[in-house]
C-alpha cells in the first residue's frame, strides 16, 4: 500500500512528477496538431485537399461530421464506406442510424473520440460553436518533450489568504486566447499581503472540490509564460485558504496554439513577481 509523501517538499515534488507524466503522455497537450471550427452542415474529414477537417495522413475521405448548427451537446459522425476509423469512449454503445452515429462533444463531459492509426479527434463546444481538436499520439517522434522547469520550492510562497465574501456577487469578464469574453459570477476573493502590500485574486471557478484562479504577475513574459498561469486551491475553510504558488502551472496554450485557454482578467494582474511554480516551457516557440 502506497503512502502520501510526508513533507511539503516531497508532496510538491510528487505534484511536479505527475505534471511531467501528464505532459509527456501520448494524449498530452503537446500532441495537439489542429483546432478546426465546424460549419453547419456536413464537414468532410480526410487527407484529401479541401477537406474541412484536414488529416496529415490516412484515407482521402474518412467520413463527415454533420452539425445542425445548434449548440447541442452532440452531432453526427457519418463514416465513409470502408472507413477504418472507430469510436473510443466510455459508452457501451452509440446510437446509429441511416444518417450517422451520434457523437458526444465535451459539453456533456468527456467527449467521444474518433480514432484512426495514431490520430485522434474529438469535438469541443465553446460559446455556441463547435470545433474539432486533432491529436497525434505519436507526437514525441516529431518533437520530443522538452521537460518542465520550476523555481526552487519555497515555503514562503505557500501564502495564507483571507477569503472575503462579496455581497452582492461580482461579475467578471474573462478573456480567452480565441478573443471571446466569458462572464463569470464571483462570490468572493482571496486577499493576501506581500512586502507590506495588499493583493487580491478572484476565482474563475468555485466548487466543493476546490477553487481555480487564472493570474498574471510581474514576472510574466520574463521567467514565466507571458499570458499568465493557473492555480488550484482547496476551498476556503474558516474564512481562509492557502495560495500555494509553488504549484502555479502553465495553461495549455503555453504548449500548443490549438488550445482555447482563459486569460487572466484585469482584476487578477498582480503587481508583484511570483518567483515560484512553473517557468516558461523551453520548447514553446
Amino acid at each position: 500500500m502506497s503512502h502520501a509523501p510526508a513533507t511539503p517538499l516531497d508532496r510538491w515534488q510528487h505534484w511536479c512528477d505527475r505534471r511531467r507524466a501528464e505532459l509527456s503522455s501520448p494524449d498530452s497537450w503537446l500532441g495537439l496538431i489542429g483546432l478546426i471550427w465546424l460549419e453547419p452542415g456536413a464537414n468532410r474529414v480526410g487527407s484529401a485537399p479541401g477537406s474541412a477537417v484536414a488529416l496529415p495522413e490516412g484515407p482521402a475521405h474518412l467520413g463527415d461530421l454533420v452539425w445542425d448548427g445548434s449548440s447541442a451537446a452532440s452531432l453526427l459522425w457519418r463514416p465513409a464506406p470502408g472507413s477504418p476509423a472507430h469510436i473510443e469512449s466510455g459508452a457501451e454503445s452509440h446510437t446509429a442510424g441511416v444518417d450517422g452515429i451520434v457523437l458526444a462533444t465535451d459539453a456533456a463531459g468527456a467527449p467521444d473520440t474518433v480514432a484512426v492509426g495514431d490520430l485522434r479527434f474529438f469535438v469541443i463546444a465553446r460559446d455556441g460553436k463547435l470545433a474539432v481538436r486533432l491529436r497525434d499520439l505519436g507526437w514525441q517522434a516529431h518533437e520530443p518533450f522538452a521537460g518542465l522547469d520550476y523555481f526552487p520550492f519555497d515555503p514562503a510562497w505557500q501564502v495564507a489568504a483571507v477569503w472575503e465574501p462579496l455581497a452582492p456577487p461580482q461579475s467578471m469578464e474573462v478573456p480567452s486566447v480565441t478573443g471571446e469574453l466569458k462572464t463569470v459570477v464571483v462570490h468572493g476573493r482571496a486577499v493576501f499581503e506581500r512586502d507590506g502590500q495588499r493583493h487580491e485574486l478572484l476565482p474563475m471557478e468555485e466548487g466543493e472540490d476546490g477553487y481555480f484562479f487564472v493570474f498574471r504577475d510581474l514576472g510574466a513574459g520574463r521567467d514565466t509564460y507571458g499570458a499568465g498561469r493557473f492555480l488550484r486551491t482547496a476551498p476556503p475553510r474558516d474564512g481562509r485558504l492557502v495560495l500555494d504558488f509553488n504549484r502555479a502551472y502553465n495553461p495549455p496554450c503555453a504548449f500548443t496554439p490549438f488550445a482555447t485557454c482563459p486569460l487572466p482578467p484585469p482584476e487578477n494582474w498582480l503587481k508583484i513577481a511570483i518567483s515560484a511554480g512553473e517557468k516558461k516551457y523551453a520548447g514553446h516557440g
Side-chain angles (χ1 to χ4, degrees):
M1 181 176 178
S2 62
H3 297 279
T7 70
L9 176 59
D10 287 339
R11 287 193 291 271
W12 174 76
Q13 187 62 63
H14 181 65
W15 175 83
C16 293
D17 291 343
R18 286 190 289 110
R19 177 90 174 130
R20 291 188 184 97
E22 174 190 353
L23 283 167
S24 61
S25 69
D27 58 356
S28 164
W29 287 105
L30 287 153
L32 288 183
I33 58 174
L35 178 69
I36 305 100
W37 296 95
L38 300 179
E39 297 291 339
N43 296 263
R44 188 181 181 94
V45 180
S47 61
S51 298
V53 180
L55 304 181
E57 58 187 27
H61 183 204
L62 191 69
D64 297 279
L65 289 165
V66 184
W67 179 34
D68 64 7
S70 71
S71 58
S74 63
L75 71 165
L76 292 178
W77 167 242
R78 191 163 59 202
S83 172
H86 63 277
I87 297 174
E88 298 178 341
S89 75
E92 294 182 359
S93 62
H94 290 83
T95 304
V98 294
D99 294 327
I101 302 169
V102 176
L103 204 67
T105 73
D106 72 345
D112 291 331
T113 299
V114 179
V116 57
D118 278 343
L119 297 179
R120 301 289 185 275
F121 67 83
F122 54 94
V123 180
I124 64 172
R126 298 291 183 271
D127 302 311
K129 302 175 183 178
L130 298 185
V132 169
R133 271 195 177 141
L134 181 60
R135 170 172 282 141
D136 177 10
L137 298 186
W139 62 272
Q140 287 226 54
H142 313 294
E143 186 177 354
F145 180 44
L148 295 172
D149 191 18
Y150 294 88
F151 290 97
F153 176 78
D154 186 350
W157 282 113
Q158 295 177 312
V159 178
V162 175
W163 180 252
E164 291 187 352
L166 294 172
Q170 177 178 329
S171 291
M172 177 172 65
E173 296 293 330
V174 179
S176 74
V177 295
T178 61
E180 305 289 335
L181 282 177
K182 177 181 180 180
T183 301
V184 175
V185 177
V186 183
H187 297 87
R189 61 190 168 205
V191 179
F192 65 98
E193 286 194 4
R194 188 78 182 183
D195 299 330
Q197 293 184 313
R198 173 188 168 105
H199 305 280
E200 302 176 359
L201 285 177
L202 298 176
M204 254 207 68
E205 296 175 8
E206 307 170 41
E208 293 181 358
D209 294 334
Y211 284 18
F212 174 56
F213 298 87
V214 182
F215 74 94
R216 190 179 194 275
D217 65 274
L218 292 183
R222 184 178 66 245
D223 300 316
T224 60
Y225 182 53
R229 289 182 289 171
F230 291 173
L231 180 66
R232 295 187 181 275
T233 73
R237 185 173 181 178
D238 298 326
R240 302 184 73 83
L241 54 75
V242 175
L243 300 169
D244 187 352
F245 289 107
N246 293 288
R247 300 192 184 200
Y249 62 99
N250 289 329
C253 54
F255 305 99
T256 175
F258 305 116
T260 56
C261 302
L263 297 174
E267 293 90 339
N268 283 0
W269 284 47
L270 297 174
K271 296 180 180 179
I272 53 172
I274 305 291
S275 54
E278 204 166 287
K279 294 184 178 183
K280 285 181 181 178
Y281 177 57
H284 182 71

